[in-house]
């Protein structure tokens, strides 16, 4: 089989990002290889990264949705969110001490996370079907990260780089959709006791369930539908904020309670 120029460029982009992930040294953007807005190419690079991670022993446990804020979409010059893959080694429990050294340029944001009780592979994948597939929701901290130096990213860069994913922390209070309404939640995020971000459910594509519906359709279109048991990070409820060693992050989401984590020196998974 003949290797095309685009396949070679995508392989080089994936190698650049995997090297940054492995060495902890941020790299230059990959848009010089795949263009700034070639969405199919960017997701093919992401798929190469995913294979690289799973070949090294990581397991896929869910998906994350990025760019759910209209303001951020306008800043990036796009009209849609993006998605990335969650791996088992990204997950931390409430109250965890997270080694900040495993991250390059971390930024925290507050989200509603959902866990699915059924597959989302068939049917219209509308909000009603999404709601029926949700087992429960929890408060979550997502730590976004970029392997690209200085967060110098265009849309294709962040898609290729697994939607700028880092790690995540899930709360312990699990509520069904009979017990809370995602669009109605309010959020506060504090770093070292100071309020740094506020928002609500409507900030996430109008409703976090809208975001999951978008993801379900996009994931099916790309050939990897959402599955029962997966964790879905549905997108930020307010602005994200940078982190430094020693920071404590606390997220409060009405109904879902509080989730917290401390970001300590070091690079070993706690």
């Amino acid at each position: 089989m003949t290797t095309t120029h685009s396949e070679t460029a995508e392989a080089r982009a994936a190698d650049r990002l995997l090297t940054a992930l492995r060495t902890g040294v941020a790299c230059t953007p990959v848009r010089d290889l795949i263009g700034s807005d070639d969405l199919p190419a960017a997701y093919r690079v992401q798929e190469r990264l995913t294979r690289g991670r799973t070949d090294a022993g990581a397991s896929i446990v869910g998906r994350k949705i990025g760019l759910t804020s209209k303001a951020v979409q306008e800043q990036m010059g796009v009209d849609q969110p993006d998605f990335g893959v969650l791996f088992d080694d990204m997950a931390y429990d409430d109250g965890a001490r997270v080694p900040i050294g495993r991250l390059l340029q971390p930024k925290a944001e507050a989200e509603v996370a959902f866990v699915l009780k059924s597959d989302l592979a068939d049917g219209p994948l509308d909000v009603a079907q999404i709601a029926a597939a949700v087992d429960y929701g929890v408060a979550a901290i997502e730590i976004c990260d970029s392997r690209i130096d200085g967060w110098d990213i265009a849309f294709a860069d962040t898609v290729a780089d697994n939607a700028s994913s880092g790690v995540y922390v899930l709360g312990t209070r699990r509520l069904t959709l009979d017990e809370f309404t995602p669009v109605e939640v309010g959020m506060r995020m504090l770093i070292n006791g100071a309020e740094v971000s506020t928002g609500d459910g409507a900030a996430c594509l109008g409703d976090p369930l809208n975001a999951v519906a978008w993801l379900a359709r996009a994931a099916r279109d790309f050939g990897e539908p959402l599955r029962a048991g997966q964790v879905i990070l549905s997108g930020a409820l307010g602005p994200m904020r940078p982190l430094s060693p020693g920071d404590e992050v606390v997220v409060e989401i009405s109904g879902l309670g509080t989730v917290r984590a401390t970001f300590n020196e070091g690079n070993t998974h706690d």
Side-chain angles (χ1 to χ4, degrees):
M1 180 181 294
T2 302
T3 300
T4 67
H5 173 72
S6 62
E7 289 173 332
T8 301
E10 290 162 14
R12 290 173 59 198
D15 287 345
R16 185 181 296 178
L17 292 166
L18 284 168
T19 298
L21 180 66
R22 184 179 67 253
T23 63
V25 178
C27 64
T28 57
V30 297
R31 58 183 179 268
D32 65 318
L33 297 171
I34 61 172
S36 297
D37 54 8
D38 186 338
L39 196 58
Y43 276 113
R44 287 193 296 269
V45 173
Q46 185 187 119
E47 288 171 353
R48 288 176 180 269
L49 261 69
T50 298
R51 287 197 299 273
R53 295 291 309 277
T54 55
D55 287 349
S59 299
I60 295 171
V61 296
R63 302 285 181 86
K64 64 154 286 182
I65 311 166
L67 300 176
T68 54
S69 161
K70 292 298 184 184
V72 175
Q73 288 182 15
E74 290 172 4
Q75 182 182 17
M76 297 290 290
V78 299
D79 61 358
Q80 61 181 306
D82 67 351
F83 67 84
V85 176
L86 300 179
F87 298 98
D88 55 344
D89 64 353
M90 292 180 173
Y92 287 88
D93 294 331
D94 188 16
R97 298 187 303 275
V98 180
I100 201 169
R102 66 172 295 190
L103 303 162
L104 278 71
Q105 305 168 97
K107 297 183 179 184
E109 59 186 27
E111 307 190 12
V112 176
F114 299 100
V115 174
L116 301 179
K117 62 184 177 183
S118 56
D119 292 352
L120 288 167
D122 302 307
L125 301 181
D126 56 14
V127 168
Q129 184 179 353
I130 300 307
V134 168
D135 191 3
Y136 59 86
V138 296
I141 303 169
E142 181 186 0
I143 307 304
C144 298
D145 198 16
S146 181
R147 269 53 64 180
I148 294 169
D149 193 32
W151 281 88
D152 177 16
I153 55 173
F155 190 43
D157 293 307
T158 186
V159 170
D161 188 24
N162 197 26
S164 300
S165 60
V167 300
Y168 65 95
V169 186
L170 298 183
T172 56
R173 188 174 191 195
R174 302 175 175 183
L175 296 184
T176 69
L177 294 183
D178 290 331
E179 298 171 309
F180 86 112
T181 303
V183 71
E184 295 178 356
V185 302
M187 177 277 292
R188 295 174 71 228
M189 182 168 70
L190 301 92
I191 296 180
N192 303 326
E195 184 178 278
V196 297
S197 181
T198 61
D200 54 38
C204 181
L205 281 190
D207 184 332
L209 294 177
N210 291 340
V212 182
W214 174 87
L215 172 64
R217 293 188 293 268
R220 183 173 67 182
D221 289 346
F222 277 87
E224 294 292 340
L226 304 182
R227 299 298 184 185
Q230 289 188 332
V231 176
I232 307 299
L233 297 180
S234 63
L237 303 178
M240 63 182 178
R241 300 298 184 212
L243 293 179
S244 299
D247 283 349
E248 180 191 52
V249 178
V250 177
V251 165
E252 302 170 356
I253 298 180
S254 57
L256 294 173
T258 299
V259 57
R260 71 182 65 228
T262 303
F263 294 83
N264 294 340
E265 296 277 8
N267 57 15
T268 303
H269 195 293
D270 202 2

